């Protein structure tokens, strides 16, 4: 069995660590490139959302490298994500790739099925070693997120532009040759240290922008056209409302305190939206309010084209702006999104926030909403 | 009290129920005008760009009711069946309307959610009654009468009428010399909105075919067809489309299948994809996907439909010649 999985930001670190520790051979899909997208677009239904297409590209590239089993996460609606696995399997089947697909739905209700699937994967490993491997893998998720947070802070302040990213690139090279949770964790820690040493300007007060929106688009840099990097180079400090670690805490662990906090933030959205409409739309509204209260300069909502829940959020956000006054911009990405136009919009938004900070703009043009 | 009923989205599924309910409560019901270019334009103007056509259209119908009704009825259907959902956009509908349309009258929101249990389904109606100022006992009576109307409606549907036939009060009887039956798969708010579907049902009938629509298929058959899926389909209406499509294919009743879908519809993207793949793999019946959006023109639509009919007839002449995978004109 050679296992592969779709890319989603840093998730590959934890899955590789976990599978390594369980003694399962793993094929990390090659980094997402234009070619990945091209494969995915060609083979997927035209109307499917971008994440699905990129997933397909990942699978095909991994299968070419010998993978025969795919593991993915699922959900039970109402967002389309919950049915990804089934559709993807049919697509692969018609292509003649008869791979095994293991779909992990969040164990909210049914731990039995979840455990069965883990057993299927874990084979002869004892429960204790499986549990330990999971624990270490979640440490990877946590520390990898912390590493990214350091990068976000530093990028906005670095003296030599590009210092942060050249180090991150080295990290990506280096970590691939590591084996198992422990080695990967060690590498992450090493680079956390290295990143902290990047020299920064002392006298800057960067603009702060919070990112909200659909989870995959937020977490996978290729899909959001490296929005964090681009904003960083514009001297903006970026805050991420949704990270992998938070997802893990919310869905796979029993961290009650965290869940309470999560609920508290969600409650802020009550005047605008008081129930889950699928995906992360509710969080999008709630986090926009939360960020406004924390005093960020602006909020950017990112979603893939046609994302049903986020469209609901998008139409509500202007009201949040009216009440809180923090500018919000929506970015919709699909396979046709051009890098140049995208960057121009980011620049214009940052410009506006700068002017607003200097007190030059009082009324903010509603025209900036949406696309 | 005058209550406005937007003629869009789930109107076609539930209008007998809702109409009767409000009338029993002693309200006057005003339905928005049938869709026209101006309804659509107003919808597009008053809705976020990224929404799909049916949602924009709903906005247009709400705008149409402004000034004509004291309150507008907005159904928020989170789930119509335990363990299932419908499109996320239906869940956020009232919020979208509130944020996007100015000068709204009062909104009567029906918060219906059967996700966890089916027993309390009358509660949201009682809430509605409270807002209007009617006692629960009277509401229950009204609901009961309305439910009977709804059941009678659904019975007619299962006997082969389309919602349009019933709405217009023209009973349709099957043709003597029918060239065959064409399956028409799509959400009710596309198929039965004649402006959007460009009268596809009458067009097919005029060409000598009978149509079969998802509303004609028994729920039990739909359930059975979908139970073969490797994972439970959790969208009730998605399931309805897929299940009725599969049933039509399986029973070999239809000579062709047309999917009508709106551009950017997330659910259709999956359902149509699956159905097309199963069809190509197993049944190989001529099929066409027609996608509509706010820019669709009559001419393009007709050409596609013609091409599809040609294909059905061409194949008919060659007695069951099976076109190889990939020759369906608009399929993949
Ligand atoms: S099911 Fe599709 S067409 Fe209907 S509202 Fe949802 S996205 Fe739009």
């Amino acid at each position: 069995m050679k296992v592969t999985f779709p890319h989603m930001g840093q998730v590959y670190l934890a899955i590789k660590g976990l599978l390594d520790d369980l003694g399962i051979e793993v094929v990390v899909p090659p980094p997402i490139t234009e070619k990945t997208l091209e494969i995915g677009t060609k083979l997927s239904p035209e109307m499917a959302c971008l994440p699905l297409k990129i997933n397909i590209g990942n699978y095909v590239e991994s299968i070419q490298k010998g993978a025969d089993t795919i593991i993915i996460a699922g959900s039970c609606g109402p967002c389309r994500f919950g049915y990804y696995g089934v559709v993807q399997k049919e697509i692969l089947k018609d292509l003649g790739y008869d791979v095994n697909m293991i779909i992990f739905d969040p164990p909210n209700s049914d731990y039995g099925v979840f455990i069965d699937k883990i057993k299927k994967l874990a084979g002869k490993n004892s429960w204790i070693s499986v549990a330990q491997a999971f624990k270490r893998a979640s440490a990877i998720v946590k520390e990898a997120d912390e590493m990214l947070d350091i990068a976000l802070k530093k990028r906005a302040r670095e003296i030599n532009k590009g210092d942060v990213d050249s180090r991150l690139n080295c990290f990506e090279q280096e970590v691939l040759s590591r084996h198992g949770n422990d080695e990967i964790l060690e590498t992450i820690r090493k680079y956390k240290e290295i990143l902290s040493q990047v020299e920064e300007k002392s006298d800057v007060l960067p603009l702060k922008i919070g990112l909200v929106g659909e989870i995959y688009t937020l977490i996978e840099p290729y899909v959001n056209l490296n929005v964090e990097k681009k904003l960083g180079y514009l001297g903006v400090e970026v805050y991420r409302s949704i990270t992998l670690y938070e997802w893990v805490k919310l869905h796979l662990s029993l961290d009650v305190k965290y869940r309470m906090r999560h609920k508290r933030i969600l409650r802020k959205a009550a005047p605008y939206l008081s129930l889950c409409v699928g995906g992360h739309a509710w969080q999008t509204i709630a986090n926009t309010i939360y960020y406004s209260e924390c005093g960020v300069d602006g909020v950017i909502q990112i979603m893939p084209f046609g994302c049903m829940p986020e469209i609901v959020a998008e139409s509500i956000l202007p009201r949040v702006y009216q009440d809180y006054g923090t500018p919000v911009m929506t970015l919709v990405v699909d396979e046709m999104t051009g890098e140049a136009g995208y960057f121009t919009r980011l620049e214009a938004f940052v410009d506006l926030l700068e002017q607003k900070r200097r007190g030059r703009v009082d009324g903010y043009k509603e025209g900036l909403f949406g696309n | 009290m005058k209550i406005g009923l937007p003629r869009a989205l789930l109107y076609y599924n539930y209008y007998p129920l809702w109409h009767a309910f409000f009338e029993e409560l002693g309200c006057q019901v005003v339905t928005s005008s049938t869709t026209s270019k101006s309804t659509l334009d107003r919808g597009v103007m008053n809705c976020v760009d990224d929404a799909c056509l049916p949602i924009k259209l709903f906005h247009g119908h709400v705008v149409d009711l402004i000034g004509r009704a004291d309150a507008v009825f907005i159904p928020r259907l989170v789930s119509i069946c335990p363990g299932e959902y419908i499109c996320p956009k239906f869940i956020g509908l009232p919020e979208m309307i509130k944020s996007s349309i100015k000068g709204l009258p009062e909104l009567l929101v029906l918060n219906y959610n059967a996700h966890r249990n089916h027993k309390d389904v009358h509660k949201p109606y009682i809430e509605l009654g409270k807002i209007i100022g009617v006692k629960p006992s009277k509401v229950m009576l009204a609901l009961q009468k309305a439910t009977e109307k709804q059941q009678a409606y659904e019975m007619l549907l299962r006997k082969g009428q389309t919602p349009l036939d019933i709405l217009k009060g023209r009973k349709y009887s099957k043709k003597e010399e029918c060239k065959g039956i064409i399956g028409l798969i799509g959400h009710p708010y596309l198929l039965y909105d004649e402006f959007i579907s460009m009268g596809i049902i009458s067009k097919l009938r005029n060409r000598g075919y009978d149509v079969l629509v998802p509303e004609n298929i028994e729920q039990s058959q739909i359930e059975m067809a979908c139970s073969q899926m490797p994972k439970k389909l959790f969208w009730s209406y998605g399931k309805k489309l897929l299940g009725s499509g599969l049933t039509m294919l399986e029973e070999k009743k239809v000579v062709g299948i047309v999917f009508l879908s709106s551009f950017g519809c997330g659910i259709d993207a999956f359902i149509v994809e699956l159905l097309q793949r199963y069809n190509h793999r197993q049944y190989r019946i001529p099929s066409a996907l027609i996608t509509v959006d706010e820019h669709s023109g009559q001419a393009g639509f007709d050409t596609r439909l013609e091409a599809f009919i040609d294909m059905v007839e061409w194949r008919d002449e060659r007695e069951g010649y099976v076109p190889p995978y990939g020759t369906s004109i608009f399929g993949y």
Side-chain angles (χ1 to χ4, degrees):
Chain A
M1 183 161 70
K2 274 194 180 177
V3 177
T4 190
F5 53 89
H7 265 306
M8 176 157 151
Q10 311 252 43
V11 83
Y12 73 98
L13 299 173
I15 299 189
K16 182 173 185 309
L18 178 71
L19 295 178
D20 281 348
D21 277 9
L22 295 178
I24 299 167
E25 213 177 327
V26 36
V27 179
V28 177
I32 305 175
T33 60
E34 236 161 86
K35 197 168 138 255
T36 320
L37 179 60
E38 214 180 282
I39 298 176
T41 314
K42 213 172 84 205
L43 303 179
S44 318
E46 195 192 326
M47 287 198 295
C49 38
L50 185 60
L52 182 133
K53 296 180 183 173
I54 293 189
N55 286 176
I56 291 282
N58 284 153
Y59 301 153
V60 170
E61 286 184 328
S62 292
I63 291 171
Q64 284 163 356
K65 284 176 71 187
D68 57 21
T69 302
I70 298 170
I71 50 172
I72 57 166
S75 79
C76 297
C79 167
R80 278 190 273 181
F81 177 64
Y83 226 65
Y84 265 28
V86 175
V87 173
Q88 290 173 339
K89 185 157 173 129
E90 297 296 343
I91 295 177
L92 292 177
K93 192 165 159 194
D94 277 343
L95 288 173
Y97 296 127
D98 201 10
V99 287
N100 192 1
M101 203 149 196
I102 308 180
I103 305 174
F104 284 97
D105 290 326
N108 294 344
S109 50
D110 203 345
Y111 276 93
V113 179
F114 190 71
I115 287 172
D116 270 354
K117 287 189 175 155
I118 291 180
K119 262 196 205 142
K120 201 161 144 193
L121 257 185
K124 53 189 184 321
N125 287 287
S126 75
W127 275 115
I128 298 187
S129 55
V130 172
Q132 276 170 349
F134 261 96
K135 208 168 150 211
R136 274 179 303 210
S138 78
I140 290 187
V141 174
K142 176 166 178 261
E143 302 221 6
D145 265 334
E146 287 167 3
M147 180 175 79
L148 276 193
D149 284 337
I150 301 177
L152 291 178
K153 281 229 157 54
K154 286 285 180 181
R155 232 188 243 126
R157 298 181 171 84
E158 61 191 0
I159 292 179
N160 305 314
K161 284 251 175 284
D163 269 2
V164 167
D165 286 300
S166 63
R167 286 171 177 79
L168 278 180
N169 286 343
C170 295
F171 167 77
E172 275 158 27
Q173 294 297 323
E174 199 175 316
V175 79
L176 274 183
S177 58
R178 296 287 178 268
H179 190 88
N181 278 323
D182 291 342
E183 282 185 36
I184 292 174
L185 203 54
E186 199 182 296
T187 318
I188 293 175
R189 289 193 176 136
K190 177 172 136 201
Y191 274 87
K192 268 163 91 177
E193 196 46 48
I194 293 178
L195 280 172
S196 319
Q197 279 156 13
V198 169
E199 277 184 287
E200 52 181 276
K201 299 178 201 150
S202 53
D203 54 342
V204 283
L205 257 183
L207 281 173
K208 297 190 172 96
I209 290 185
L211 297 184
V212 298
E214 191 271 336
I215 180 166
Y216 180 81
T217 336
L218 283 181
I219 291 181
E220 176 49 54
Y222 185 85
V223 177
N224 61 39
L225 290 93
N226 279 307
V227 69
E228 293 169 3
K229 234 191 238 180
K230 288 196 170 84
L231 286 172
Y233 286 153
L234 291 172
V236 175
E237 188 173 340
V238 178
Y239 291 84
R240 303 174 298 153
S241 62
I242 293 172
T243 62
L244 271 177
Y245 186 51
E246 303 212 347
W247 189 88
V248 168
K249 273 198 286 191
L250 207 58
H251 291 278
L252 299 176
S253 79
L254 300 169
D255 189 338
V256 180
K257 232 165 97 201
Y258 178 76
R259 284 187 190 203
M260 301 265 289
R261 195 191 133 205
H262 184 77
K263 280 231 175 79
R264 239 188 355 259
I265 292 186
L266 280 183
R267 234 177 273 138
K268 291 184 191 297
Y272 308 93
L273 183 71
S274 51
L275 77 177
C276 174
V277 297
H280 285 79
W282 198 6
Q283 281 91 331
T284 295
I285 305 283
N287 282 318
T288 304
I289 297 172
Y290 174 69
Y291 279 143
S292 303
E293 288 176 353
C294 295
V296 301
D297 297 276
V299 173
I300 297 182
Q301 180 203 19
I302 308 183
M303 61 164 144
F305 172 77
C307 174
M308 302 180 281
E310 289 298 329
I311 290 174
V312 175
E314 182 192 0
S315 61
I316 298 174
L317 282 175
R319 266 174 66 214
V320 178
Y321 163 70
Q322 269 169 15
D323 296 349
Y324 286 84
T326 308
V328 188
M329 174 170 74
T330 298
L331 292 173
V332 181
V333 293
D334 67 8
E335 57 270 34
M336 260 98 84
T337 309
E339 186 108 31
Y342 188 82
F343 191 65
T344 316
R345 293 198 59 205
L346 286 180
E347 251 179 344
F349 189 62
V350 170
D351 236 31
L352 175 112
L353 298 185
E354 246 156 29
Q355 290 185 19
K356 189 162 181 260
R357 193 183 251 193
R358 278 188 248 125
R360 278 215 223 119
V361 188
D362 353 85
Y364 156 65
K365 284 199 296 302
E366 279 195 36
L368 256 172
F369 282 112
N371 251 3
Chain B
M1 189 173 186
K2 266 199 225 161
I3 298 198
L5 218 55
R7 194 190 289 270
L9 292 180
L10 298 172
Y11 176 80
Y12 299 94
N13 299 57
Y14 294 115
Y15 77 88
L17 178 78
W18 293 335
H19 249 273
F21 177 69
F22 287 118
E23 274 170 3
E24 289 292 330
L25 290 188
C27 301
Q28 193 187 335
V29 177
V30 196
T31 314
S32 57
S33 334
T34 43
T35 307
S36 65
K37 181 82 179 43
S38 92
T39 329
L40 180 58
D41 287 346
R42 280 190 278 182
V44 171
M45 262 165 48
N46 287 292
C47 183
V48 278
D49 272 352
D50 299 301
C52 61
L53 176 67
I55 294 287
K56 287 180 183 159
L57 211 52
F58 190 88
H59 284 67
H61 280 277
V62 171
V63 175
D64 183 70
L65 287 166
I66 294 180
R68 293 173 52 200
D70 306 319
V72 175
F73 174 69
I74 314 271
R76 181 211 301 282
L77 272 61
V78 178
S79 161
I80 52 168
C81 191
E84 292 179 4
Y85 289 101
I86 51 181
C87 172
K89 283 180 199 159
F90 291 117
I91 311 177
L93 195 57
E95 281 77 18
M96 291 182 84
I97 296 287
K98 263 188 245 161
S99 310
S100 315
I101 302 180
K102 302 219 163 66
L104 280 174
E106 191 188 340
L107 298 187
L108 282 178
V109 177
L110 175 81
N111 286 303
Y112 190 90
N113 187 353
H115 189 66
R116 272 171 222 273
N117 75 45
H118 222 148
K119 270 181 266 143
D120 295 338
V121 290
H122 57 276
K123 280 203 181 139
Y125 287 95
I126 295 207
E127 301 271 299
L128 271 190
K130 236 188 241 159
I131 303 175
I132 303 176
V134 183
K135 279 202 306 273
S137 56
K138 215 178 149 209
V139 175
M140 284 306 281
L141 220 65
L143 186 60
Q144 199 185 351
K145 286 211 177 121
T147 310
E148 280 162 21
K149 287 247 165 72
Q150 177 73 17
Q151 281 163 350
Y153 172 68
E154 286 174 11
M155 185 80 109
L156 280 178
L157 290 178
R158 258 172 278 130
K159 285 207 178 115
Q161 302 290 311
T162 71
L164 259 184
D165 298 326
I166 302 174
L167 252 177
K168 293 196 163 171
R170 288 181 320 216
K171 193 152 185 285
Y172 179 79
S173 35
K174 292 224 158 58
K175 289 195 189 59
E176 294 275 304
E177 285 164 33
C178 159
K179 286 203 242 167
I181 302 175
I182 290 189
L184 200 52
I185 306 279
H187 290 284
Y189 37 85
L190 295 177
L191 293 186
Y192 313 124
D193 187 317
E194 285 191 291
F195 182 82
I196 297 304
S197 68
M198 313 225 179
I200 189 168
I201 297 182
S202 16
K203 277 181 186 156
L204 287 170
R205 284 177 177 167
N206 289 340
R207 293 291 304 260
Y209 291 94
D210 273 336
V211 293
L212 200 59
V213 293
E215 280 69 26
N216 299 147
I217 312 279
E218 295 277 351
Q219 188 61 31
S220 57
Q221 279 179 302
I222 291 176
E223 296 290 341
M224 203 156 77
C226 288
S227 64
Q228 298 157 15
M229 297 303 294
K231 176 175 173 179
K232 184 180 150 66
L233 252 179
F234 44 74
W235 300 299
S236 305
Y237 291 125
K239 192 164 91 182
K240 183 163 182 177
L241 298 193
L242 183 65
S244 46
L246 287 175
T247 311
M248 290 176 193
L249 290 171
E250 188 60 43
E251 296 188 336
K252 304 212 167 50
K253 268 199 209 148
V254 293
V255 293
I257 283 201
V258 181
F259 310 99
L260 195 67
S261 165
S262 67
F263 179 73
C265 167
I267 293 183
D268 284 6
F270 278 23
I271 298 297
V272 171
E273 175 73 12
L274 289 170
L275 212 48
Q276 298 261 51
R277 282 184 192 272
Y278 294 142
N279 183 21
H280 284 312
R281 243 183 251 160
Q282 264 193 40
Y283 311 98
R284 306 202 164 189
I285 281 173
S287 69
L289 164 64
I290 303 183
T291 312
V292 289
D293 67 6
E294 51 266 45
H295 312 295
S296 299
Q298 180 88 33
F301 189 95
D302 286 349
T303 328
R304 290 177 154 222
L305 197 62
E306 281 305 315
F308 166 74
I309 294 179
D310 282 350
M311 184 167 64
V312 171
E313 293 182 349
W314 183 85
R315 181 171 156 179
D316 211 32
E317 279 162 25
R318 280 156 192 76
E319 275 179 59
Y321 168 73
V322 181
Y325 180 82
T327 48
S328 111
I329 2 178
F330 305 114
Y332 313 105

